[in-house]
Amino acid sequence: VMGGETFEQGTGLPTTVTTGGANNGVDLAQNNEISGFDIGDTTGAGLADSGGSVGSLSVSDVGKSGAGQIVDIDQGGTLDVTLNSAASTASTGGAIDLAEVGGSFTVTGATVITGAHGGGGVDITGSSVTATFSGGGTVSTGTATAVNFVGNSGALALGGGFDIATTTGTGLNASGAGTVTATGAGNDVSAAGGVAVSVVGTAIGAADLTFESVSANGGSYAIRLNGTGSDGGLHITGTGMTDGSGGTIQNIGIRGIEAIDTAELSLGNMNLVNANTISGTSTDLDVSASNAAVYLSDVAGVSLDNVHINGVADTGIVGIDVSDFVMDNSSITEARDAIHESGIEVVNLSGD
């Protein structure tokens, strides 16, 4: 159904594909209503604006698979979009590109984005939209950012077993306002040379940002949190009490995990191996310029359970103005012993 007119009926959903130049599955005008078909390979995007606002757009019972962008709507509009599934094997832009839009964008089934994407995997910028990916899936984008949520006043919600993987690209990048959450079991992030999770100036919602594992190998940082509010926090759970099931962070230059002005940081079943290979600087009364495998500053509520830190150039854990710090079943080995370097350096610890 397009614009209230049925163009095909049957027991299954029809599928449209495009060939040739940058041809889209559906070129959107304004105020379209679209439902009841799937989009396969495209040389452009499955759903694309026509260089202007889409107005009030309604999409339901539609899926996208194969090559090409899934959605390219970056000229504004109010969305009421629900996709059954969203998949792309390669595209010249971001696989899901949303900008300057409001309303809601939801993928109820799996989101599977693999291959080369010039603009990354999920790219949402400058929008008030509430974007929900509840069906899990995989976003693997190599050197490009997998999930990018920047400059938004809306919300991003991941769940259902959502796997993010990059090489030197950032796994999850959220900054400049808005809210981000990840819920349910089986959410994972891994990066080989890039930052796995970076949330800076974007709030973590009350439902928390929960991953079963976060892993990173190489680069300057693995996890960076700064200014994420007090409603929720980053929780890395692992499984049971299995060593390393919460991920391995290794061969990181400056700080394996950096948490500044955040709350409810919970790390479980993690291994940090050479997660700080570059020394910082500090004095007796100021360790703020120190580097560490885990660096905490102005953090309300910290829990480390079955976390093992082995090998640092500076300090295992640095804590400044931290409250309610709990460390159980954990260890720090091969920390440095130069002046102002040690296993744990803490200033102004408070709470229970």
Side-chain angles (χ1 to χ4, degrees):
V1 179
M2 298 185 66
E5 181 176 347
T6 300
F7 66 90
E8 181 173 340
Q9 288 182 316
T11 57
L13 297 181
T15 300
T16 182
V17 300
T18 69
T19 59
N23 293 317
N24 304 311
V26 178
D27 284 312
L28 301 166
Q30 287 193 341
N31 307 323
N32 293 140
E33 297 181 13
I34 299 170
S35 67
F37 64 97
D38 290 331
I39 303 170
D41 291 334
T42 57
T43 51
L47 300 171
D49 60 44
S50 298
S53 170
V54 296
S56 295
L57 172 65
S58 175
V59 178
S60 62
D61 203 16
V62 171
K64 170 70 173 78
S65 62
Q69 285 180 276
I70 298 164
V71 173
D72 183 9
I73 302 174
D74 57 10
Q75 299 298 313
T78 301
L79 310 184
D80 180 9
V81 174
T82 300
L83 300 181
N84 299 332
S85 60
S88 177
T89 56
S91 70
T92 57
I96 295 176
D97 184 4
L98 300 175
E100 301 179 19
V101 294
S104 65
F105 179 91
T106 301
V107 182
T108 58
T111 300
V112 181
I113 298 170
T114 58
H117 295 273
V122 177
D123 186 30
I124 303 172
T125 58
S127 295
S128 61
V129 70
T130 296
T132 304
F133 298 84
S134 57
T138 299
V139 180
S140 178
T141 53
T143 60
T145 299
V147 178
N148 193 53
F149 187 75
V150 173
N152 301 291
S153 59
L156 171 67
L158 308 176
F162 201 95
D163 295 332
I164 297 171
T166 64
T167 55
T168 56
T170 300
L172 170 61
N173 181 57
S175 66
T179 302
V180 61
T181 58
T183 58
N187 303 315
D188 301 296
V189 185
S190 65
V195 179
V197 176
S198 176
V199 183
V200 177
T202 292
I204 297 175
D208 296 321
L209 189 64
T210 300
F211 295 104
E212 184 173 302
S213 71
V214 175
S215 295
N217 188 349
S220 297
Y221 300 86
I223 297 172
R224 303 194 79 180
L225 307 175
N226 195 327
T228 63
S230 59
D231 289 339
L234 174 66
H235 296 194
I236 301 174
T237 64
T239 55
M241 288 296 292
T242 303
D243 291 352
S245 59
T248 298
I249 292 174
Q250 57 189 327
N251 304 319
I252 305 299
I254 298 174
R255 295 167 180 168
I257 299 173
E258 179 186 76
I260 300 171
D261 188 18
T262 187
E264 294 184 30
L265 177 64
S266 177
L267 308 176
N269 299 307
M270 299 189 73
N271 293 331
L272 285 80
V273 181
N274 298 322
N276 155 236
T277 61
I278 299 172
S279 293
T281 58
S282 60
T283 67
D284 284 335
L285 300 178
D286 185 2
V287 295
S288 61
S290 296
N291 293 332
V294 178
Y295 181 95
L296 310 168
S297 178
D298 193 18
V299 183
V302 179
S303 172
L304 279 68
D305 193 359
N306 198 26
V307 174
H308 302 285
I309 298 170
N310 181 271
V312 292
D314 195 326
T315 299
I317 299 173
V318 169
I320 306 165
D321 297 322
V322 174
S323 63
D324 300 323
F325 178 90
V326 178
M327 183 174 176
D328 290 321
N329 309 305
S330 301
S331 64
I332 301 173
T333 57
E334 297 189 27
R336 294 297 295 269
D337 59 0
I339 188 169
H340 310 311
E341 296 178 345
S342 59
I344 301 177
E345 292 273 351
V346 178
V347 178
N348 293 334
L349 179 65
S350 64
D352 297 333

